[in-house]
Amino acid sequence: MITLRLESNPFYLLKAKFLFLLFFIAISNTFANQPSVARSFIETSLQMVKVSGIAPTVISRNLFFTSAAMYDAWAFYQEDHRPFLLGQSLKNYTNDFDLSYKIPDSLVTEAMINEAISYAAYRILVQKHIEISGKRRSIDIIDSTFTALGYDIGYTSTNYKNGRGAALGNYIAESYIAYGATDGSFEEADYEDFSFQPVNGSYNLNSSGNKNLEFKNRWQPIMPNDYIKKKGVDSTLSDWNLRIADVEDAFLTPQWANVTPFALTSADTSYVLKDGEGHLVYFDPGKPPQLDFEKDSISSEEYKWNFLLVALWSSHLDPNNSKMMDISPAVRGNVYEVPNSLKDYYDIEGSSANKGHSINPATNLPYKKNLVNEADYRRVIAEFWVDGINTYGPPGHWFSMLNEVSDHPEFEKKWEGKGAVLSPLEWDIKSYFALGGALHDAAIASWGVKVAYDYIRPISAIRYMASQGQCTDKSLANYHPDGMPLMEGKIEVISVEDSLAIVDARNIGKIKIYAWRGPDYIEDLKNDVAGVGWILAENWWPYQRYSFVTPPFSGYVSGHSCFSFAGATVLEKITGNIYFPGGIAEFTAKKNKFLLFENGPSEDVTLQWATYRDAATETCLSRIWGGIHPPCDDMMGRVVGEKVGNKAFEKVNEYFKN
């Protein structure tokens, strides 16, 4: 849970969010501080995501459908708001709702509006989760919320002209479900599309090196099954986790660029030619650095720099290193410009461009120092922002953050920070619609780039380069132009006297790297720490749980970066402020309780962000420390995400100005 607080207040705002708190939400929204019915269904949707373990693309679509359907149910009763789907035509779907049908204002009640919203959200969420609900876990959650609000699951009429909000809600849900069958997501096939064929064969994690990688710039499926069996399945793994592991060759939802967007238009598109076929891309960021086989080039140098920075950043994850750092907003964040060169932003020692914030604008006081162990901070953010198994996913994380903002006692629910204060229901309906549209389009845009450029992940690239040798000294027998550049104290050749050679003489002449040592050094998840040391570079690991070592789709651009910058942009726009309420938001990772696949952190670590952009930036950097993305994936993902967020906000306002 993220906590928003006033910097000048010594007492933190303590809030516990339990799912069954929703049971006590009354049907009426009489009191201004009472959660709206829209809020209850978004909170419930997030809990369903957490137990279902669905793909980030599908999460974003489900949240958008739920948010848009609730908006339509609410907008029907408003004079000055245009519906999104009701009576509209969207690409391959036309809705037959009678827009001339209205209920006189004198007959409209708050209970009627809440009922329409609730039935629409309930029916959609059940339909989206019924096939993947795993022992009905997620369906039980939504049923409990719905019945606790006093509604009848058995009422299924869609005759909206009978005047009942429930019938209107059922009709809206039915309309969205029908629309979903036409939007290109392949929902009817459980979102599976096997038309994408990887050009590289699967890589078995039990292997050392990756010498036989054929296409050095293209995605390689990762096969974790043998390694999972070797380690033994840990008790925290979900059924979904194991199902994903069984489909190691599949690229998750490669069709997503063709899903009908919310705000993106044909003017934002281009086609990227790959393997003789054009691939649809929104906001084309251009080709990432390419490794030119047996040829030195600027692009090859950039490729190596990008991926080796990922490997070397993992050397910053040793809590035995006592180096401390200030992670307060005073010295971190406040960077809005895209750098001319990635090397101007990312440093091999782990720093990035930061201006910091001189004062907290809510208090006019300087931000206080926040000194933490450097390795603890980087381990914590790698896990806090991972948004993987048993979490809300990247899109859900930003919905959760929006809810925290809305709850802050200093926050006024004014659209764009202007005009009258909105009721909790109107604020939630509009803000969810805006954020849902942006994150839905972020998935479409980022996945389009992923498929078009089909770019390699760090684990494949790093292990490949290491298996080729080194590219620094042509006089050595292990020279290869695709090899790793040597760096004293960081990347070296294993000599006869080296401890790695003593363990196994076959390692002589191979490349070693000073990095996080990986899951082979962790037996007890609760008590062991892998630490950092010299390892065979061909055995390098991302800082992830061994059962889900890297996502099952290509890297460029980073989905996390795209989602986060789209989300942060929308939050800036709808609140009319770049800063979190009170000028700061926080999350505390408790000592030796927060990390899941190794012990830690060694002390409490309180993450802090002044602005939405600062939080998004930390998300992006966390994926480098996590070993999932190089800088080129990250920065271009930010660029695409910001454009998506701006488009979504412009679009959503069109519906509010009838």
Side-chain angles (χ1 to χ4, degrees):
M1 179 181 68
I2 296 172
T3 301
L4 307 180
R5 69 177 176 88
L6 292 176
E7 179 72 11
S8 58
N9 188 340
F11 300 99
Y12 292 176
L13 292 171
L14 301 177
K15 297 194 295 284
K17 286 202 247 180
F18 300 101
L19 173 63
F20 290 102
L21 180 62
L22 301 173
F23 297 167
F24 300 102
I25 299 175
I27 297 175
S28 172
N29 192 28
T30 303
F31 302 103
N33 62 350
Q34 186 174 3
S36 75
V37 69
R39 170 72 174 267
S40 72
F41 281 100
I42 288 298
E43 291 277 12
T44 299
S45 177
L46 295 179
Q47 293 299 328
M48 295 170 78
V49 167
K50 195 171 183 179
V51 302
S52 297
I54 51 183
T57 47
V58 179
I59 294 171
S60 67
R61 180 176 178 270
N62 289 354
L63 286 168
F64 172 62
F65 272 50
T66 305
S67 300
M70 292 194 300
Y71 168 75
D72 273 2
W74 177 83
F76 170 76
Y77 298 100
Q78 315 301 317
E79 289 294 328
D80 55 352
H81 290 74
R82 178 164 60 90
F84 172 69
L85 188 65
L86 288 182
Q88 309 298 314
S89 292
L90 297 176
K91 200 172 181 179
N92 299 319
Y93 174 79
T94 297
N95 184 257
D96 62 3
F97 184 82
D98 182 1
L99 288 174
S100 68
Y101 171 71
K102 295 291 182 183
I103 295 177
D105 289 347
S106 60
L107 299 180
V108 175
T109 66
E110 191 171 14
M112 185 186 297
I113 298 173
N114 283 342
E115 186 177 77
I117 292 169
S118 299
Y119 274 82
Y122 172 75
R123 298 293 179 203
I124 286 176
L125 288 171
V126 168
Q127 187 266 342
K128 299 302 177 196
H129 286 263
I130 193 67
E131 297 299 328
I132 46 88
S133 57
K135 301 179 182 178
R136 284 191 58 86
R137 288 173 297 189
S138 56
I139 301 302
D140 288 343
I141 291 173
I142 186 63
D143 281 356
S144 296
T145 297
F146 192 69
T147 56
L149 289 167
Y151 298 123
D152 177 12
I153 291 174
Y155 184 80
T156 59
S157 172
T158 58
N159 180 20
Y160 59 85
K161 290 187 177 180
N162 69 13
R164 283 201 59 179
L168 175 64
N170 286 336
Y171 174 85
I172 290 173
E174 185 179 80
S175 299
Y176 273 86
I177 291 168
Y179 166 60
T182 73
D183 73 342
S185 65
F186 294 3
E187 181 177 5
E188 69 282 0
D190 294 330
Y191 306 104
E192 292 183 346
D193 175 14
F194 297 111
S195 63
F196 180 98
Q197 296 297 319
V199 296
N200 285 309
S202 297
Y203 177 68
N204 191 320
L205 285 176
N206 274 349
S207 305
S208 288
N210 195 12
K211 195 166 188 175
N212 296 322
L213 179 69
E214 186 174 0
F215 296 92
K216 287 54 175 185
N217 301 299
R218 303 281 287 274
W219 177 64
Q220 178 184 42
I222 303 298
M223 186 167 59
N225 292 10
D226 289 347
Y227 192 83
I228 290 174
K229 292 173 185 176
K230 170 186 170 182
K231 289 287 288 183
V233 179
D234 79 71
S235 60
T236 66
L237 301 185
S238 68
D239 295 338
W240 176 81
N241 191 179
L242 298 180
R243 290 203 305 273
I244 286 294
D246 287 335
V247 194
E248 67 273 2
D249 286 329
F251 187 118
L252 206 62
T253 61
Q255 73 276 19
W256 223 254
N258 296 310
V259 170
T260 304
F262 168 62
L264 303 177
T265 68
S266 59
D268 307 318
T269 64
S270 57
Y271 283 84
V272 173
L273 188 65
K274 181 189 72 176
D275 300 336
E277 182 181 352
H279 293 269
L280 178 66
V281 171
Y282 291 92
F283 303 123
D284 183 9
K287 182 181 288 188
Q290 303 288 295
L291 185 64
D292 296 333
F293 181 61
E294 295 186 351
K295 178 183 176 183
D296 291 327
S297 69
I298 294 175
S299 188
S300 285
E301 189 275 332
E302 290 177 349
Y303 178 105
K304 293 177 183 181
W305 177 85
N306 269 273
F307 289 108
L308 290 180
L309 182 134
V310 177
L312 294 173
W313 273 27
S314 76
S315 70
H316 309 146
L317 302 174
D318 186 1
N320 292 322
N321 182 340
S322 60
K323 187 176 180 180
M324 305 293 284
M325 65 186 300
D326 184 3
I327 61 169
S328 73
V331 296
R332 298 190 66 78
N334 195 22
V335 177
Y336 282 75
E337 301 83 9
V338 176
N340 293 324
S341 167
L342 294 181
K343 293 180 181 179
D344 293 337
Y345 188 90
Y346 307 88
D347 186 272
I348 206 162
E349 297 301 327
S351 63
S352 62
N354 284 287
K355 295 180 180 178
H357 304 267
S358 58
I359 62 168
N360 179 334
T363 63
N364 289 318
L365 296 173
Y367 288 98
K368 298 176 182 177
K369 282 188 176 182
N370 180 13
L371 294 175
V372 300
N373 177 276
E374 187 178 75
D376 276 344
Y377 166 68
R378 288 159 180 169
R379 292 193 301 158
V380 165
I381 66 168
E383 187 144 321
F384 177 74
W385 294 109
V386 70
D387 293 328
I389 305 300
N390 301 325
T391 72
Y392 300 152
H397 200 142
W398 284 89
F399 267 82
S400 178
M401 189 173 292
L402 168 59
N403 287 340
E404 295 283 350
V405 169
S406 300
D407 285 345
H408 193 278
E410 296 291 320
F411 180 66
E412 291 187 311
K413 296 180 173 69
K414 295 181 178 181
W415 194 251
E416 299 182 62
K418 300 178 290 188
V421 175
L422 306 181
S423 70
L425 177 61
E426 182 173 357
W427 169 260
D428 288 342
I429 288 289
K430 290 182 174 181
S431 61
Y432 291 150
F433 186 32
L435 184 60
L439 298 178
H440 177 59
D441 283 2
I444 293 170
S446 58
W447 252 251
V449 178
K450 286 177 181 293
V451 170
Y453 290 107
D454 191 22
Y455 201 48
I456 193 169
R457 290 279 187 172
I459 189 171
S460 296
I462 292 166
R463 289 191 178 194
Y464 167 73
M465 289 188 289
S467 65
Q468 298 304 315
Q470 54 83 26
C471 64
T472 300
D473 189 343
K474 292 183 178 181
S475 67
L476 298 179
N478 63 359
Y479 172 80
H480 192 285
D482 285 358
M484 286 186 163
L486 300 177
M487 302 175 65
E488 186 176 356
K490 299 183 185 297
I491 304 171
E492 298 179 356
V493 177
I494 297 173
S495 65
V496 175
E497 297 82 12
D498 198 291
S499 60
L500 290 172
I502 294 172
V503 170
D504 189 340
R506 291 174 297 180
N507 291 335
I508 297 172
K510 290 185 176 183
I511 307 302
K512 66 177 182 177
I513 190 168
Y514 194 74
W516 186 65
R517 298 193 299 173
D520 283 336
Y521 291 84
I522 301 171
E523 294 298 329
D524 184 342
L525 300 177
K526 294 183 178 179
N527 297 305
D528 291 348
V529 175
V532 167
W534 286 104
I535 61 170
L536 283 172
E538 63 188 34
N539 290 339
W540 177 86
W541 280 84
Y543 186 70
Q544 303 288 320
R545 61 200 307 169
Y546 67 82
S547 55
F548 200 65
V549 68
T550 205
F553 41 84
S554 62
Y556 183 81
V557 293
S558 166
H560 272 66
S561 298
C562 192
F563 283 125
S564 296
F565 267 68
T569 298
V570 166
L571 287 178
E572 289 175 352
K573 298 291 188 180
I574 66 176
T575 63
N577 199 328
I578 65 170
Y579 287 89
F580 281 97
I584 194 168
E586 295 184 334
F587 171 83
T588 298
K590 301 302 291 184
K591 175 182 178 180
N592 294 332
K593 292 182 178 180
F594 180 70
L595 301 181
L596 290 178
F597 56 87
E598 68 172 352
N599 191 30
S602 59
E603 299 291 343
D604 287 0
V605 173
T606 298
L607 306 179
Q608 295 180 321
W609 319 279
T611 69
Y612 305 115
R613 185 72 59 102
D614 293 348
T617 298
E618 186 177 80
T619 310
C620 302
L621 294 175
S622 77
R623 300 303 275 170
I624 302 177
W625 273 298
I628 298 301
H629 287 290
C632 61
D633 290 4
D634 167 27
M635 189 57 67
M636 291 300 101
R638 301 187 197 192
V639 170
V640 173
E642 183 173 5
K643 291 177 180 178
V644 167
N646 283 319
K647 290 279 291 193
F649 178 72
E650 292 171 7
K651 181 71 173 179
V652 82
N653 268 343
E654 295 176 8
Y655 294 95
F656 305 159
K657 299 172 182 178
N658 205 8

